Protein backbone atom coordinates (compact mmCIF):
# COMPACT_ATOMS: atom_id res chain seq x y z
CA UNK A 1 0.00 0.00 0.00
CA UNK A 2 1.41 3.35 -1.08
CA UNK A 3 0.45 6.64 0.49
CA UNK A 4 0.73 8.43 -2.86
CA UNK A 5 0.75 7.01 -6.37
CA UNK A 6 1.72 9.58 -9.03
CA UNK A 7 0.57 8.55 -12.49
CA UNK A 8 2.83 10.20 -15.07
CA UNK A 9 6.60 10.61 -15.13
CA UNK A 10 6.84 13.89 -17.03
CA UNK A 11 8.21 17.13 -15.66
CA UNK A 12 5.04 17.88 -13.67
CA UNK A 13 4.84 14.40 -12.17
CA UNK A 14 8.53 14.42 -11.25
CA UNK A 15 8.32 17.93 -9.78
CA UNK A 16 5.44 16.72 -7.60
CA UNK A 17 7.40 13.59 -6.64
CA UNK A 18 10.36 15.67 -5.58
CA UNK A 19 8.22 17.95 -3.43
CA UNK A 20 6.32 15.07 -1.81
CA UNK A 21 9.63 13.36 -1.05
CA UNK A 22 10.10 16.05 1.60
CA UNK A 23 7.40 14.30 3.62
CA UNK A 24 7.22 11.04 5.52
CA UNK A 25 5.16 9.09 2.98
CA UNK A 26 5.55 6.06 0.75
CA UNK A 27 5.43 7.39 -2.81
CA UNK A 28 5.60 5.74 -6.22
CA UNK A 29 5.65 7.20 -9.73
CA UNK A 30 4.03 5.09 -12.46
CA UNK A 31 5.03 5.84 -16.06
CA UNK A 32 3.52 4.06 -19.07
CA UNK A 33 6.65 4.46 -21.21
CA UNK A 34 9.98 2.69 -20.83
CA UNK A 35 11.52 5.83 -19.33
CA UNK A 36 10.44 9.03 -17.67
CA UNK A 37 10.25 12.32 -19.62
CA UNK A 38 8.92 10.52 -22.70
CA UNK A 39 5.75 12.48 -23.46
CA UNK A 40 5.26 16.23 -23.76
CA UNK A 41 8.39 16.73 -21.64
CA UNK A 42 10.78 15.48 -24.32
CA UNK A 43 9.25 17.42 -27.22
CA UNK A 44 8.52 21.04 -26.41
CA UNK A 45 10.01 24.49 -26.89
CA UNK A 46 12.29 24.26 -23.81
CA UNK A 47 11.39 27.85 -22.97
CA UNK A 48 10.96 29.37 -19.51
CA UNK A 49 8.19 31.87 -20.15
CA UNK A 50 8.24 35.31 -18.55
CA UNK A 51 4.48 35.23 -17.87
CA UNK A 52 2.94 38.04 -19.92
CA UNK A 53 0.69 35.83 -22.03
CA UNK A 54 -1.47 33.98 -19.48
CA UNK A 55 -4.84 35.49 -18.52
CA UNK A 56 -4.53 37.27 -15.14
CA UNK A 57 -6.04 35.37 -12.25
CA UNK A 58 -5.71 31.94 -13.85
CA UNK A 59 -3.58 29.11 -12.51
CA UNK A 60 -1.50 29.42 -15.66
CA UNK A 61 -0.66 33.02 -14.78
CA UNK A 62 -0.04 32.42 -11.09
CA UNK A 63 2.11 29.33 -11.50
CA UNK A 64 3.99 30.68 -14.53
CA UNK A 65 5.26 33.63 -12.50
CA UNK A 66 5.97 31.53 -9.42
CA UNK A 67 7.76 28.86 -11.45
CA UNK A 68 9.82 31.38 -13.43
CA UNK A 69 11.12 32.88 -10.19
CA UNK A 70 12.21 29.46 -8.91
CA UNK A 71 14.35 28.41 -11.87
CA UNK A 72 17.67 30.05 -11.07
CA UNK A 73 17.86 28.65 -7.54
CA UNK A 74 16.41 25.27 -8.53
CA UNK A 75 18.90 24.81 -11.37
CA UNK A 76 21.75 25.42 -8.95
CA UNK A 77 20.29 23.10 -6.32
CA UNK A 78 19.64 20.25 -8.76
CA UNK A 79 22.49 20.99 -11.20
CA UNK A 80 20.66 21.23 -14.54
CA UNK A 81 21.26 23.80 -17.31
CA UNK A 82 19.20 27.01 -17.32
CA UNK A 83 19.92 30.35 -19.01
CA UNK A 84 17.92 33.52 -18.49
CA UNK A 85 18.45 34.99 -21.96
CA UNK A 86 15.19 36.98 -22.23
CA UNK A 87 12.55 36.84 -24.95
CA UNK A 88 11.17 39.09 -27.68
CA UNK A 89 7.64 39.10 -29.08
CA UNK A 90 7.65 40.54 -32.60
CA UNK A 91 4.97 42.39 -34.50
CA UNK A 92 5.16 43.11 -38.21
CA UNK A 93 2.65 45.92 -38.57
CA UNK A 94 2.62 49.34 -36.93
CA UNK A 95 -1.10 48.88 -36.40
CA UNK A 96 -0.34 45.83 -34.24
CA UNK A 97 1.92 47.68 -31.78
CA UNK A 98 -1.07 48.26 -29.43
CA UNK A 99 -1.30 44.47 -29.12
CA UNK A 100 2.23 44.47 -27.72
CA UNK A 101 1.16 47.15 -25.25
CA UNK A 102 -1.75 44.95 -24.19
CA UNK A 103 0.66 42.07 -23.59
CA UNK A 104 2.90 44.36 -21.54
CA UNK A 105 -0.04 45.51 -19.41
CA UNK A 106 -1.19 41.93 -18.93
CA UNK A 107 2.33 41.00 -17.89
CA UNK A 108 2.44 43.84 -15.37
CA UNK A 109 -0.84 42.64 -13.86
CA UNK A 110 0.61 39.13 -13.61
CA UNK A 111 3.72 40.47 -11.87
CA UNK A 112 6.30 40.23 -14.66
CA UNK A 113 9.15 42.70 -14.18
CA UNK A 114 11.18 44.60 -16.76
CA UNK A 115 8.75 44.46 -19.68
CA UNK A 116 9.33 47.03 -22.46
CA UNK A 117 7.93 47.68 -25.91
CA UNK A 118 10.91 48.51 -28.11
CA UNK A 119 11.16 49.85 -31.66
CA UNK A 120 13.03 48.68 -34.73
CA UNK A 121 16.29 50.41 -33.84
CA UNK A 122 16.69 48.78 -30.42
CA UNK A 123 15.52 45.48 -31.87
CA UNK A 124 18.30 45.50 -34.48
CA UNK A 125 20.86 46.28 -31.77
CA UNK A 126 19.72 43.27 -29.76
CA UNK A 127 19.22 40.94 -32.74
CA UNK A 128 21.15 41.96 -35.89
CA UNK A 129 19.56 39.10 -37.88
CA UNK A 130 15.99 40.06 -37.07
CA UNK A 131 13.56 39.84 -39.99
CA UNK A 132 13.25 42.92 -42.19
CA UNK A 133 9.49 43.25 -41.64
CA UNK A 134 9.59 43.34 -37.82
CA UNK A 135 8.67 46.85 -36.64
CA UNK A 136 8.56 46.48 -32.86
CA UNK A 137 8.78 43.93 -30.05
CA UNK A 138 7.92 43.26 -26.44
CA UNK A 139 11.14 42.71 -24.53
CA UNK A 140 10.88 40.35 -21.52
CA UNK A 141 14.25 40.03 -19.74
CA UNK A 142 13.02 37.34 -17.32
CA UNK A 143 12.42 34.77 -20.07
CA UNK A 144 14.83 31.87 -20.31
CA UNK A 145 15.69 28.47 -21.75
CA UNK A 146 16.22 25.08 -20.13
CA UNK A 147 16.74 21.45 -21.09
CA UNK A 148 13.37 19.94 -20.13
CA UNK A 149 14.46 16.32 -19.86
CA UNK A 150 17.67 17.09 -17.98
CA UNK A 151 15.52 19.09 -15.58
CA UNK A 152 13.11 16.16 -15.23
CA UNK A 153 15.91 13.67 -14.59
CA UNK A 154 17.30 16.01 -11.93
CA UNK A 155 13.92 16.22 -10.19
CA UNK A 156 13.41 12.45 -10.42
CA UNK A 157 16.89 11.55 -9.20
CA UNK A 158 16.52 13.83 -6.19
CA UNK A 159 13.09 12.34 -5.46
CA UNK A 160 14.50 8.81 -5.75
CA UNK A 161 17.37 9.55 -3.37
CA UNK A 162 14.73 10.78 -0.94
CA UNK A 163 12.76 7.56 -1.15
CA UNK A 164 10.37 7.82 -4.12
CA UNK A 165 10.03 4.67 -6.23
CA UNK A 166 9.88 4.92 -10.04
CA UNK A 167 8.19 2.14 -11.99
CA UNK A 168 8.40 2.61 -15.75
CA UNK A 169 6.74 0.59 -18.48
CA UNK A 170 3.58 0.48 -16.35
CA UNK A 171 0.52 1.54 -18.31
CA UNK A 172 -2.60 1.99 -16.23
CA UNK A 173 -5.44 -0.07 -17.69
CA UNK A 174 -7.95 0.48 -14.89
CA UNK A 175 -8.38 2.31 -11.60
CA UNK A 176 -11.14 1.81 -9.06
CA UNK A 177 -12.07 2.54 -5.47
CA UNK A 178 -10.66 -0.08 -3.09
CA UNK A 179 -11.76 0.40 0.51
CA UNK A 180 -10.30 3.65 1.78
CA UNK A 181 -8.01 3.91 -1.22
CA UNK A 182 -7.62 2.82 -4.82
CA UNK A 183 -6.57 -0.23 -6.82
CA UNK A 184 -4.64 0.74 -9.95
CA UNK A 185 -4.16 -2.08 -12.41
CA UNK A 186 -1.32 -2.41 -14.91
CA UNK A 187 -0.53 -5.46 -17.09
CA UNK A 188 2.33 -6.34 -14.74
CA UNK A 189 0.71 -5.87 -11.32
CA UNK A 190 -1.97 -4.09 -9.31
CA UNK A 191 -0.92 -1.13 -7.16
CA UNK A 192 -2.83 -0.11 -4.05
CA UNK A 193 -2.67 3.42 -2.78
CA UNK A 194 -4.44 5.84 -0.47
CA UNK A 195 -3.99 8.79 -2.86
CA UNK A 196 -3.66 9.15 -6.63
CA UNK A 197 -2.01 12.17 -8.21
CA UNK A 198 -3.10 12.20 -11.84
CA UNK A 199 -0.28 13.82 -13.84
CA UNK A 200 -0.74 11.70 -16.95
CA UNK A 201 -0.47 14.44 -19.60
CA UNK A 202 -2.61 13.79 -22.66
CA UNK A 203 -3.95 10.69 -20.88
CA UNK A 204 -5.01 12.54 -17.71
CA UNK A 205 -8.65 12.62 -18.79
CA UNK A 206 -8.65 8.82 -19.12
CA UNK A 207 -7.32 8.36 -15.58
CA UNK A 208 -9.78 10.92 -14.18
CA UNK A 209 -12.74 9.47 -16.03
CA UNK A 210 -12.08 5.99 -14.62
CA UNK A 211 -12.82 7.35 -11.14
CA UNK A 212 -15.10 10.36 -11.53
CA UNK A 213 -18.52 10.97 -13.04
CA UNK A 214 -17.57 14.61 -13.66
CA UNK A 215 -15.79 14.03 -16.92
CA UNK A 216 -12.57 15.76 -17.94
CA UNK A 217 -11.94 16.60 -21.59
CA UNK A 218 -8.45 16.93 -23.06
CA UNK A 219 -7.57 17.56 -26.71
CA UNK A 220 -4.11 16.44 -27.85
CA UNK A 221 -2.46 19.32 -29.70
CA UNK A 222 0.37 18.36 -32.04
CA UNK A 223 3.42 20.57 -32.49
CA UNK A 224 6.29 19.95 -34.93
CA UNK A 225 9.79 21.39 -34.54
CA UNK A 226 12.97 21.75 -36.59
CA UNK A 227 16.40 21.56 -34.92
CA UNK A 228 19.42 23.20 -36.56
CA UNK A 229 23.07 22.39 -35.96
CA UNK A 230 25.23 24.04 -33.31
CA UNK A 231 27.19 25.73 -36.09
CA UNK A 232 24.30 28.21 -36.42
CA UNK A 233 23.13 28.26 -32.79
CA UNK A 234 24.44 31.79 -32.30
CA UNK A 235 22.31 33.30 -35.06
CA UNK A 236 20.02 34.76 -32.38
CA UNK A 237 20.69 35.54 -28.73
CA UNK A 238 17.14 35.57 -27.34
CA UNK A 239 13.96 33.54 -27.68
CA UNK A 240 12.00 35.19 -30.49
CA UNK A 241 8.22 34.83 -30.57
CA UNK A 242 5.56 36.35 -32.76
CA UNK A 243 2.33 37.87 -31.46
CA UNK A 244 0.32 34.93 -30.04
CA UNK A 245 -2.82 33.68 -31.73
CA UNK A 246 -5.80 31.51 -30.88
CA UNK A 247 -3.80 28.27 -31.00
CA UNK A 248 -0.89 29.46 -28.87
CA UNK A 249 2.32 31.45 -29.01
CA UNK A 250 3.06 30.66 -32.64
CA UNK A 251 6.34 29.78 -34.33
CA UNK A 252 9.43 30.70 -32.33
CA UNK A 253 13.15 30.83 -33.05
CA UNK A 254 15.34 30.19 -30.02
CA UNK A 255 18.80 29.06 -29.06
CA UNK A 256 18.92 25.96 -26.86
CA UNK A 257 20.98 25.56 -23.70
CA UNK A 258 23.24 23.19 -25.64
CA UNK A 259 23.91 25.63 -28.48
CA UNK A 260 21.54 24.50 -31.23
CA UNK A 261 18.81 26.58 -32.88
CA UNK A 262 15.19 25.45 -32.47
CA UNK A 263 12.27 26.46 -34.71
CA UNK A 264 8.55 25.74 -34.16
CA UNK A 265 6.07 24.54 -33.11
CA UNK A 266 3.04 24.14 -35.28
CA UNK A 267 -0.31 23.73 -33.48
CA UNK A 268 -2.81 21.18 -34.81
CA UNK A 269 -5.54 19.51 -32.76
CA UNK A 270 -5.70 15.74 -33.18
CA UNK A 271 -7.64 12.77 -31.86
CA UNK A 272 -4.61 10.47 -31.92
CA UNK A 273 -2.58 10.49 -28.70
CA UNK A 274 0.18 8.47 -30.32
CA UNK A 275 0.64 10.56 -33.47
CA UNK A 276 4.08 12.16 -33.26
CA UNK A 277 4.86 11.85 -36.99
CA UNK A 278 6.64 14.70 -38.74
CA UNK A 279 5.06 16.00 -41.94
CA UNK A 280 6.43 17.98 -44.87
CA UNK A 281 3.56 20.51 -44.90
CA UNK A 282 4.31 21.43 -41.27
CA UNK A 283 8.01 21.76 -42.11
CA UNK A 284 7.08 24.26 -44.82
CA UNK A 285 4.81 26.13 -42.37
CA UNK A 286 7.64 26.46 -39.85
CA UNK A 287 10.08 27.71 -42.48
CA UNK A 288 7.66 30.32 -43.79
CA UNK A 289 6.80 31.69 -40.35
CA UNK A 290 10.31 31.54 -38.88
CA UNK A 291 11.71 33.40 -41.90
CA UNK A 292 9.58 36.40 -40.92
CA UNK A 293 11.29 36.53 -37.54
CA UNK A 294 14.89 35.89 -38.55
CA UNK A 295 16.38 36.48 -41.98
CA UNK A 296 18.65 34.07 -43.83
CA UNK A 297 17.88 31.09 -41.62
CA UNK A 298 20.27 28.30 -42.76
CA UNK A 299 17.81 25.46 -43.24
CA UNK A 300 20.50 23.30 -44.82
CA UNK A 301 21.90 23.01 -41.29
CA UNK A 302 18.84 21.07 -40.13
CA UNK A 303 19.85 17.92 -38.25
CA UNK A 304 16.45 16.60 -37.18
CA UNK A 305 12.73 17.29 -36.87
CA UNK A 306 10.38 16.03 -34.17
CA UNK A 307 6.80 16.34 -32.97
CA UNK A 308 5.31 16.60 -29.49
CA UNK A 309 1.78 16.49 -28.12
CA UNK A 310 0.37 19.04 -25.66
CA UNK A 311 -2.55 18.37 -23.34
CA UNK A 312 -5.04 21.12 -24.13
CA UNK A 313 -7.86 21.11 -21.60
CA UNK A 314 -11.24 22.42 -22.72
CA UNK A 315 -11.52 24.20 -19.35
CA UNK A 316 -8.95 26.66 -20.69
CA UNK A 317 -6.68 26.50 -17.64
CA UNK A 318 -4.55 24.10 -15.66
CA UNK A 319 -6.67 21.71 -13.59
CA UNK A 320 -5.09 21.21 -10.16
CA UNK A 321 -7.86 20.08 -7.86
CA UNK A 322 -9.24 17.19 -5.84
CA UNK A 323 -12.05 15.37 -7.62
CA UNK A 324 -15.26 16.08 -5.73
CA UNK A 325 -16.73 12.60 -6.19
CA UNK A 326 -13.48 10.63 -5.87
CA UNK A 327 -11.88 11.43 -2.48
CA UNK A 328 -8.13 11.01 -2.66
CA UNK A 329 -7.82 11.75 -6.39
CA UNK A 330 -5.80 14.89 -7.11
CA UNK A 331 -5.88 15.92 -10.77
CA UNK A 332 -2.90 17.77 -12.22
CA UNK A 333 -4.19 17.99 -15.77
CA UNK A 334 -4.23 20.21 -18.83
CA UNK A 335 -0.58 21.07 -18.26
CA UNK A 336 0.19 22.67 -21.60
CA UNK A 337 2.25 25.84 -22.12
CA UNK A 338 3.47 27.34 -19.80
CA UNK A 339 3.56 23.98 -18.03
CA UNK A 340 7.34 23.54 -18.19
CA UNK A 341 7.87 26.96 -16.64
CA UNK A 342 5.19 26.34 -14.03
CA UNK A 343 6.38 22.82 -13.15
CA UNK A 344 8.40 23.73 -10.02
CA UNK A 345 5.44 25.73 -8.69
CA UNK A 346 3.00 22.97 -9.70
CA UNK A 347 5.08 20.57 -7.62
CA UNK A 348 4.91 22.85 -4.61
CA UNK A 349 1.19 23.51 -5.00
CA UNK A 350 0.23 19.84 -5.38
CA UNK A 351 2.42 18.72 -2.48
CA UNK A 352 1.06 21.53 -0.33
CA UNK A 353 -2.52 20.50 -1.10
CA UNK A 354 -1.72 16.91 -0.10
CA UNK A 355 0.01 17.97 3.07
CA UNK A 356 -2.88 20.20 4.08
CA UNK A 357 -5.53 17.56 3.47
CA UNK A 358 -3.72 14.45 4.68
CA UNK A 359 -1.39 15.84 7.34
CA UNK A 360 1.96 14.63 5.98
CA UNK A 361 4.92 15.42 8.23
CA UNK A 362 8.23 16.72 6.93
CA UNK A 363 11.27 14.45 7.03
CA UNK A 364 14.21 15.46 9.11
CA UNK A 365 16.67 13.98 6.62
CA UNK A 366 15.37 15.34 3.29
CA UNK A 367 18.27 16.20 0.95
CA UNK A 368 17.45 18.97 -1.57
CA UNK A 369 20.71 18.71 -3.52
CA UNK A 370 21.48 16.63 -6.60
CA UNK A 371 24.80 16.71 -8.44
CA UNK A 372 24.96 15.81 -12.14
CA UNK A 373 27.73 13.65 -13.54
CA UNK A 374 30.60 15.80 -14.88
CA UNK A 375 30.40 16.52 -18.63
CA UNK A 376 33.61 15.97 -20.54
CA UNK A 377 32.70 18.61 -23.16
CA UNK A 378 32.50 21.29 -20.46
CA UNK A 379 35.83 20.48 -18.79
CA UNK A 380 39.04 22.43 -19.15
CA UNK A 381 42.09 20.54 -20.39
CA UNK A 382 43.38 20.20 -16.81
CA UNK A 383 40.01 18.93 -15.62
CA UNK A 384 39.98 16.37 -18.41
CA UNK A 385 43.42 15.12 -17.47
CA UNK A 386 42.36 14.76 -13.83
CA UNK A 387 39.09 13.02 -14.79
CA UNK A 388 40.91 10.50 -17.00
CA UNK A 389 43.47 9.85 -14.27
CA UNK A 390 40.65 9.10 -11.81
CA UNK A 391 38.56 7.10 -14.32
CA UNK A 392 40.10 6.00 -17.65
CA UNK A 393 36.57 5.70 -19.12
CA UNK A 394 36.62 9.51 -19.41
CA UNK A 395 39.35 9.07 -21.99
CA UNK A 396 37.13 6.97 -24.27
CA UNK A 397 35.01 9.29 -26.41
CA UNK A 398 31.92 7.47 -27.62
CA UNK A 399 30.04 10.38 -29.24
CA UNK A 400 32.38 12.54 -31.32
CA UNK A 401 29.75 15.15 -32.24
CA UNK A 402 28.99 15.98 -28.60
CA UNK A 403 32.24 14.82 -26.98
CA UNK A 404 30.50 12.33 -24.69
CA UNK A 405 32.73 9.87 -22.85
CA UNK A 406 32.08 6.29 -21.86
CA UNK A 407 32.20 7.35 -18.20
CA UNK A 408 29.22 9.66 -18.70
CA UNK A 409 27.20 6.91 -20.36
CA UNK A 410 27.97 4.48 -17.55
CA UNK A 411 26.94 7.13 -15.00
CA UNK A 412 23.67 7.71 -16.88
CA UNK A 413 22.85 3.99 -16.82
CA UNK A 414 23.55 3.67 -13.10
CA UNK A 415 21.99 6.94 -11.93
CA UNK A 416 19.08 6.69 -9.43
CA UNK A 417 16.54 6.70 -12.30
CA UNK A 418 18.88 5.40 -14.96
CA UNK A 419 18.86 4.94 -18.73
CA UNK A 420 17.66 1.58 -20.02
CA UNK A 421 17.76 2.19 -23.77
CA UNK A 422 19.61 4.22 -26.40
CA UNK A 423 17.18 7.14 -26.28
CA UNK A 424 17.58 7.25 -22.51
CA UNK A 425 21.33 7.56 -22.93
CA UNK A 426 20.84 10.19 -25.63
CA UNK A 427 18.65 12.43 -23.49
CA UNK A 428 20.82 12.09 -20.40
CA UNK A 429 24.22 12.56 -22.04
CA UNK A 430 23.56 13.94 -25.60
CA UNK A 431 25.30 10.91 -27.15
CA UNK A 432 23.46 10.69 -30.46
CA UNK A 433 22.14 14.25 -30.48
CA UNK A 434 24.85 15.73 -32.66
CA UNK A 435 25.10 16.26 -36.38
CA UNK A 436 25.32 12.56 -37.24
CA UNK A 437 22.31 11.76 -34.99
CA UNK A 438 23.86 8.64 -33.55
CA UNK A 439 25.29 7.23 -36.77
CA UNK A 440 28.73 6.83 -35.22
CA UNK A 441 28.07 6.29 -31.50
CA UNK A 442 24.95 4.11 -31.38
CA UNK A 443 26.76 0.76 -31.79
CA UNK A 444 29.18 1.61 -28.98
CA UNK A 445 26.39 2.88 -26.76
CA UNK A 446 24.47 -0.36 -27.38
CA UNK A 447 27.50 -2.41 -26.34
CA UNK A 448 27.87 -0.38 -23.15
CA UNK A 449 24.18 -0.87 -22.33
CA UNK A 450 24.47 -4.61 -22.93
CA UNK A 451 27.49 -4.87 -20.66
CA UNK A 452 26.27 -2.60 -17.85
CA UNK A 453 22.73 -4.03 -17.72
CA UNK A 454 23.97 -7.59 -18.29
CA UNK A 455 21.59 -8.17 -21.19
CA UNK A 456 22.30 -9.57 -24.68
CA UNK A 457 22.88 -7.07 -27.47
CA UNK A 458 19.71 -8.32 -29.15
CA UNK A 459 17.75 -7.11 -26.07
CA UNK A 460 19.05 -3.54 -26.36
CA UNK A 461 16.32 -1.19 -27.60
CA UNK A 462 16.10 2.28 -29.03
CA UNK A 463 13.14 3.22 -26.87
CA UNK A 464 11.73 0.28 -24.96
CA UNK A 465 10.20 -3.09 -25.94
CA UNK A 466 9.35 -3.36 -29.62
CA UNK A 467 12.23 -1.15 -30.72
CA UNK A 468 15.05 -3.70 -30.60
CA UNK A 469 17.85 -2.63 -32.92
CA UNK A 470 19.46 -6.04 -33.55
CA UNK A 471 17.56 -9.13 -34.65
CA UNK A 472 20.17 -11.82 -34.10
CA UNK A 473 23.87 -12.59 -33.96
CA UNK A 474 25.17 -13.90 -37.27
CA UNK A 475 28.60 -15.00 -36.11
CA UNK A 476 30.47 -15.95 -32.93
Amino acid sequence: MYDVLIIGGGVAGCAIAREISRYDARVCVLERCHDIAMGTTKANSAVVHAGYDAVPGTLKAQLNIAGNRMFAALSRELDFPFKQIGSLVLCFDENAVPELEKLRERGKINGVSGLEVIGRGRLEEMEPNIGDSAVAALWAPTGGIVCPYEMTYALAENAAVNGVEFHTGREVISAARDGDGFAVETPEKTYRTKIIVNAAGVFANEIHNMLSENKLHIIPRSGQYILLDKAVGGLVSHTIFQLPGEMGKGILVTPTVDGNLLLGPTAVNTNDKSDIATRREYYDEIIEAASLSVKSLPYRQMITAFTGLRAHCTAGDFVIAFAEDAPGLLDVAGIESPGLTAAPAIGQKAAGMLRERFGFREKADFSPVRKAAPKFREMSMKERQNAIAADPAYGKIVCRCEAVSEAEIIAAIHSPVGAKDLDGIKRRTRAGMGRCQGGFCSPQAAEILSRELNIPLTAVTKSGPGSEILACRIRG
Side-chain angles (χ1 to χ4, degrees):
M1 171 67 78
Y2 291 98
D3 294 303
V4 182
L5 190 70
I6 300 170
I7 301 177
V11 66
C14 290
I16 296 165
R18 193 250 183 171
E19 290 300 322
I20 296 179
S21 73
R22 298 176 184 271
Y23 305 135
D24 188 14
R26 189 178 181 205
V27 183
C28 178
V29 175
L30 283 190
E31 168 53 47
R32 67 188 297 271
C33 296
H34 196 233
D35 198 359
I36 61 172
M38 284 287 288
T40 303
T41 299
K42 74 174 176 63
N44 60 69
S45 301
V47 169
V48 177
H49 292 285
Y52 49 75
D53 186 53
V55 176
T58 61
L59 279 175
K60 285 184 178 181
Q62 297 166 18
L63 298 177
N64 184 340
I65 300 301
N68 177 289
R69 292 172 179 169
M70 294 170 68
F71 260 85
L74 188 66
S75 67
R76 291 191 296 269
E77 196 169 59
L78 296 182
D79 197 16
F80 63 83
F82 163 68
K83 297 179 181 179
Q84 195 167 53
I85 61 173
S87 62
L88 293 160
V89 183
L90 305 183
C91 76
F92 305 96
D93 184 345
E94 293 289 353
N95 294 325
V97 173
E99 295 301 315
L100 294 180
E101 294 287 357
K102 288 180 183 178
L103 275 184
R104 184 175 69 87
E105 288 304 312
R106 176 180 286 188
K108 287 176 64 178
I109 294 170
N110 287 342
V112 184
S113 61
L115 293 173
E116 294 181 68
V117 174
I118 62 174
R120 175 76 195 186
R122 174 101 176 269
L123 190 52
E124 286 183 330
E125 290 176 5
M126 296 176 70
E127 291 289 356
N129 295 305
I130 206 72
D132 292 333
S133 56
V135 298
L138 177 67
W139 162 235
T142 58
I145 52 176
V146 67
C147 178
Y149 29 88
E150 284 193 59
M151 173 184 171
T152 303
Y153 297 140
L155 290 163
E157 289 177 17
N158 188 236
V161 166
N162 284 292
V164 175
E165 298 176 27
F166 284 80
H167 296 187
T168 57
R170 298 289 188 268
E171 182 175 3
V172 174
I173 56 177
S174 72
R177 175 65 62 188
D178 182 36
D180 293 334
F182 302 94
V184 177
E185 186 181 356
T186 72
E188 292 75 21
K189 64 179 289 187
T190 297
Y191 294 79
R192 287 179 168 80
T193 181
K194 298 173 185 175
I195 301 161
I196 291 176
V197 176
N198 173 21
V202 295
F203 298 95
N205 61 322
E206 298 180 21
I207 303 299
H208 172 92
N209 295 343
M210 291 175 183
L211 297 164
S212 174
E213 293 299 319
N214 302 319
K215 300 308 181 187
L216 185 66
H217 301 282
I218 286 178
I219 301 170
R221 182 167 287 174
S222 170
Q224 184 167 311
Y225 294 85
I226 294 172
L227 187 70
L228 304 186
D229 189 66
K230 287 183 176 182
V232 297
L235 194 65
V236 299
S237 302
H238 311 88
T239 299
I240 299 176
F241 296 101
Q242 299 172 3
L243 271 171
E246 183 180 341
M247 295 292 281
K249 298 178 179 70
I251 301 297
L252 61 78
V253 179
T254 185
T256 71
V257 290
D258 294 296
N260 297 88
L261 197 66
L262 183 67
L263 319 176
T266 54
V268 181
N269 290 341
T270 177
N271 293 319
D272 187 351
K273 295 181 179 181
S274 63
D275 183 9
I276 54 172
T278 55
R279 293 177 171 84
R280 176 56 191 256
E281 62 265 30
Y282 299 155
Y283 174 85
D284 293 338
E285 179 184 336
I286 294 169
I287 289 176
E288 182 179 358
S291 296
L292 283 174
S293 297
V294 179
K295 58 189 175 185
S296 303
L297 280 168
Y299 297 109
R300 296 173 73 93
Q301 295 285 351
M302 172 183 167
I303 59 174
T304 192
F306 60 91
T307 296
L309 294 173
R310 292 158 271 177
H312 176 67
C313 183
T314 55
D317 197 4
F318 295 158
V319 176
I320 305 177
F322 289 104
E324 293 180 0
D325 61 346
L329 171 62
L330 175 60
D331 287 310
V332 181
I335 310 300
E336 58 181 338
S337 181
L340 176 63
T341 309
I346 290 172
Q348 282 193 348
K349 180 176 179 63
M353 291 170 69
L354 293 173
R355 180 184 184 185
E356 182 178 347
R357 178 163 293 197
F358 298 101
F360 292 138
R361 296 180 180 179
E362 289 192 22
K363 294 176 180 174
D365 60 348
F366 172 76
S367 173
V369 177
R370 172 263 191 184
K371 185 66 178 174
K375 297 175 181 177
F376 188 82
R377 64 182 176 275
E378 296 178 357
M379 297 178 186
S380 67
M381 187 58 68
K382 183 63 176 176
E383 288 170 334
R384 290 179 176 184
Q385 291 171 348
N386 291 339
I388 293 168
D391 182 357
Y394 270 108
K396 300 176 182 177
I397 299 302
V398 176
C399 175
R400 296 176 180 178
C401 298
E402 296 290 327
V404 179
S405 67
E406 182 174 350
E408 293 163 78
I409 293 174
I410 293 171
I413 294 169
H414 295 293
S415 67
V417 188
K420 296 180 286 187
D421 51 40
L422 290 179
D423 280 359
I425 287 175
K426 178 174 70 174
R427 287 188 298 273
R428 285 169 176 82
T429 68
R430 292 192 61 81
M433 280 196 176
R435 188 166 186 85
C436 84
Q437 289 289 287
F440 174 80
C441 62
S442 290
Q444 292 184 67
E447 290 178 352
I448 296 168
L449 266 172
S450 172
R451 182 189 72 215
E452 296 298 319
L453 296 180
N454 194 27
I455 59 175
L457 265 172
T458 50
V460 173
T461 67
K462 181 182 185 297
S463 185
S467 63
E468 290 76 13
I469 57 174
L470 297 171
C472 62
R473 184 180 292 275
I474 58 174
R475 60 178 182 178

